Short mmCIF file of all heavy atoms in Angstrom, two decimals:
data_model
loop_
_atom_site.label_atom_id
_atom_site.label_comp_id
_atom_site.label_asym_id
_atom_site.label_seq_id
_atom_site.Cartn_x
_atom_site.Cartn_y
_atom_site.Cartn_z
N VAL A 31 -2.39 3.52 -2.72
CA VAL A 31 -3.48 2.59 -2.43
C VAL A 31 -4.48 2.59 -3.59
O VAL A 31 -5.07 3.62 -3.91
CB VAL A 31 -4.19 2.97 -1.11
CG1 VAL A 31 -5.25 1.93 -0.77
CG2 VAL A 31 -3.17 3.09 0.04
N LYS A 33 -7.07 0.34 -3.80
CA LYS A 33 -8.23 -0.50 -3.44
C LYS A 33 -9.53 0.08 -4.02
O LYS A 33 -9.55 1.22 -4.50
CB LYS A 33 -8.34 -0.59 -1.92
CG LYS A 33 -8.69 0.72 -1.23
CD LYS A 33 -8.58 0.59 0.29
CE LYS A 33 -8.85 1.92 0.96
NZ LYS A 33 -8.51 1.91 2.39
N TYR A 37 -10.26 3.67 -5.88
CA TYR A 37 -11.18 4.68 -5.35
C TYR A 37 -12.22 5.06 -6.41
O TYR A 37 -12.55 6.24 -6.62
CB TYR A 37 -10.42 5.92 -4.86
CG TYR A 37 -9.70 5.71 -3.54
CD1 TYR A 37 -8.84 4.64 -3.35
CD2 TYR A 37 -9.88 6.58 -2.47
CE1 TYR A 37 -8.19 4.43 -2.15
CE2 TYR A 37 -9.23 6.39 -1.25
CZ TYR A 37 -8.39 5.31 -1.10
OH TYR A 37 -7.75 5.12 0.10
N ASN A 59 -7.04 -3.63 -0.95
CA ASN A 59 -7.77 -4.17 0.20
C ASN A 59 -7.84 -5.70 0.15
O ASN A 59 -7.61 -6.36 1.15
CB ASN A 59 -9.18 -3.58 0.25
CG ASN A 59 -9.92 -3.96 1.52
OD1 ASN A 59 -9.56 -3.52 2.60
ND2 ASN A 59 -10.91 -4.81 1.40
N VAL A 79 -4.18 -4.74 2.54
CA VAL A 79 -4.44 -4.17 3.87
C VAL A 79 -5.76 -4.62 4.48
O VAL A 79 -6.03 -4.37 5.65
CB VAL A 79 -4.38 -2.61 3.86
CG1 VAL A 79 -3.03 -2.13 3.36
CG2 VAL A 79 -5.53 -2.01 3.05
N GLY A 80 -6.59 -5.28 3.70
CA GLY A 80 -7.93 -5.62 4.19
C GLY A 80 -8.00 -6.99 4.83
O GLY A 80 -6.99 -7.70 4.97
N LEU A 98 -1.55 -8.02 5.68
CA LEU A 98 -1.64 -7.51 7.04
C LEU A 98 -2.34 -8.57 7.87
O LEU A 98 -3.44 -9.00 7.55
CB LEU A 98 -2.51 -6.25 7.06
CG LEU A 98 -1.80 -4.91 7.25
CD1 LEU A 98 -0.81 -4.70 6.12
CD2 LEU A 98 -2.78 -3.76 7.30
N GLU A 120 -0.47 -6.16 12.25
CA GLU A 120 -1.21 -4.93 12.51
C GLU A 120 -1.62 -4.85 13.97
O GLU A 120 -2.11 -5.82 14.55
CB GLU A 120 -2.46 -4.89 11.62
CG GLU A 120 -3.25 -3.59 11.78
CD GLU A 120 -4.45 -3.49 10.84
OE1 GLU A 120 -4.84 -4.51 10.23
OE2 GLU A 120 -4.99 -2.38 10.73
N ARG A 127 -10.69 -1.49 15.16
CA ARG A 127 -11.09 -2.23 13.96
C ARG A 127 -10.27 -3.52 13.92
O ARG A 127 -10.45 -4.39 14.74
CB ARG A 127 -10.88 -1.33 12.73
CG ARG A 127 -11.51 -1.88 11.48
CD ARG A 127 -11.50 -0.87 10.34
NE ARG A 127 -10.16 -0.60 9.80
CZ ARG A 127 -9.93 0.20 8.76
NH1 ARG A 127 -10.94 0.80 8.15
NH2 ARG A 127 -8.70 0.42 8.32
N MET A 154 -0.12 0.14 11.93
CA MET A 154 -1.34 0.57 12.62
C MET A 154 -2.10 1.51 11.70
O MET A 154 -1.61 1.90 10.64
CB MET A 154 -0.99 1.29 13.94
CG MET A 154 -0.06 2.48 13.75
SD MET A 154 -0.18 3.73 15.06
CE MET A 154 -1.58 4.71 14.49
N HIS A 155 -3.30 1.88 12.13
CA HIS A 155 -4.11 2.81 11.34
C HIS A 155 -4.67 3.88 12.27
O HIS A 155 -5.14 3.57 13.37
CB HIS A 155 -5.25 2.03 10.66
CG HIS A 155 -5.93 2.79 9.57
ND1 HIS A 155 -5.26 3.24 8.44
CD2 HIS A 155 -7.22 3.19 9.42
CE1 HIS A 155 -6.14 3.88 7.65
NE2 HIS A 155 -7.32 3.86 8.22
N GLU A 160 -8.22 12.92 10.12
CA GLU A 160 -8.94 13.67 9.10
C GLU A 160 -9.95 14.66 9.67
O GLU A 160 -10.26 15.66 9.03
CB GLU A 160 -9.69 12.71 8.16
CG GLU A 160 -8.79 11.89 7.23
CD GLU A 160 -8.24 10.64 7.89
OE1 GLU A 160 -8.48 10.43 9.10
OE2 GLU A 160 -7.57 9.86 7.20
N ALA A 193 2.20 3.56 9.38
CA ALA A 193 0.98 4.01 10.06
C ALA A 193 0.17 4.99 9.21
O ALA A 193 -1.04 4.97 9.22
CB ALA A 193 1.34 4.67 11.38
N ALA A 194 0.86 5.85 8.50
CA ALA A 194 0.19 7.01 7.89
C ALA A 194 -0.59 6.67 6.63
O ALA A 194 -0.12 5.94 5.77
CB ALA A 194 1.23 8.09 7.56
N SER A 195 -1.80 7.22 6.53
CA SER A 195 -2.49 7.30 5.25
C SER A 195 -2.31 8.74 4.76
O SER A 195 -1.46 9.47 5.28
CB SER A 195 -3.94 6.87 5.40
OG SER A 195 -4.55 7.56 6.45
N SER A 196 -3.10 9.16 3.77
CA SER A 196 -2.83 10.47 3.15
C SER A 196 -2.75 11.61 4.17
O SER A 196 -1.80 12.39 4.16
CB SER A 196 -3.92 10.83 2.13
OG SER A 196 -3.97 9.89 1.10
N ALA A 197 -3.75 11.70 5.05
CA ALA A 197 -3.82 12.85 5.95
C ALA A 197 -2.60 12.91 6.87
O ALA A 197 -1.96 13.96 6.99
CB ALA A 197 -5.11 12.80 6.77
N ARG A 211 0.92 4.88 3.42
CA ARG A 211 -0.09 4.26 2.55
C ARG A 211 -1.01 5.37 2.06
O ARG A 211 -1.95 5.76 2.72
CB ARG A 211 -0.86 3.19 3.33
CG ARG A 211 0.05 2.17 4.06
CD ARG A 211 -0.75 1.15 4.83
NE ARG A 211 -1.64 1.73 5.81
CZ ARG A 211 -1.39 1.80 7.13
NH1 ARG A 211 -0.28 1.30 7.64
NH2 ARG A 211 -2.27 2.36 7.94
N VAL A 212 -0.69 5.86 0.87
CA VAL A 212 -1.39 7.05 0.37
C VAL A 212 -2.51 6.66 -0.59
O VAL A 212 -2.26 6.12 -1.66
CB VAL A 212 -0.40 7.99 -0.34
CG1 VAL A 212 -1.12 9.20 -0.92
CG2 VAL A 212 0.68 8.44 0.64
N GLY A 213 -3.73 6.89 -0.16
CA GLY A 213 -4.90 6.56 -0.98
C GLY A 213 -5.47 7.79 -1.66
O GLY A 213 -5.07 8.18 -2.76
N ILE A 214 -6.37 8.46 -0.98
CA ILE A 214 -7.21 9.51 -1.58
C ILE A 214 -6.40 10.60 -2.30
O ILE A 214 -6.82 11.11 -3.32
CB ILE A 214 -8.13 10.13 -0.49
CG1 ILE A 214 -9.29 10.93 -1.10
CG2 ILE A 214 -7.37 11.01 0.48
CD1 ILE A 214 -10.50 10.13 -1.43
N SER A 215 -5.23 10.94 -1.76
CA SER A 215 -4.48 12.04 -2.36
C SER A 215 -3.78 11.65 -3.66
O SER A 215 -3.40 12.52 -4.45
CB SER A 215 -3.49 12.64 -1.35
OG SER A 215 -4.21 13.21 -0.27
N PRO A 221 -7.66 14.90 1.94
CA PRO A 221 -8.49 13.95 2.69
C PRO A 221 -9.71 14.62 3.31
O PRO A 221 -10.77 14.02 3.39
CB PRO A 221 -7.53 13.43 3.77
CG PRO A 221 -6.17 13.61 3.18
CD PRO A 221 -6.25 14.88 2.36
N TYR A 357 -14.75 10.29 -0.37
CA TYR A 357 -14.29 8.90 -0.43
C TYR A 357 -15.45 7.99 -0.89
O TYR A 357 -15.30 7.16 -1.77
CB TYR A 357 -13.87 8.40 0.95
CG TYR A 357 -12.54 8.86 1.51
CD1 TYR A 357 -12.38 10.14 2.03
CD2 TYR A 357 -11.46 7.99 1.59
CE1 TYR A 357 -11.18 10.54 2.60
CE2 TYR A 357 -10.25 8.38 2.16
CZ TYR A 357 -10.12 9.66 2.66
OH TYR A 357 -8.93 10.04 3.23
C1 PLP B 401 -7.67 2.96 2.76
C2 PLP B 401 -6.52 2.83 3.63
C3 PLP B 401 -5.46 3.74 3.53
C4 PLP B 401 -5.50 4.96 2.63
O1 PLP B 401 -6.24 6.00 3.24
P1 PLP B 401 -6.38 7.43 2.56
O2 PLP B 401 -7.04 8.27 3.60
O3 PLP B 401 -7.27 7.23 1.38
O4 PLP B 401 -5.05 7.88 2.18
C5 PLP B 401 -4.34 3.50 4.32
N1 PLP B 401 -4.28 2.44 5.15
C6 PLP B 401 -5.29 1.56 5.28
C7 PLP B 401 -5.15 0.42 6.23
C8 PLP B 401 -6.45 1.73 4.54
O5 PLP B 401 -7.45 0.86 4.69
#
Side-chain angles (χ1 to χ4, degrees):
V31 184
K33 67 188 176 191
Y37 285 53
N59 188 68
V79 302
L98 253 60
E120 183 176 13
R127 192 170 69 177
M154 56 155 276
H155 195 61
E160 289 84 355
S195 51
S196 299
R211 309 180 302 259
V212 177
I214 196 87
S215 296
Y357 284 76

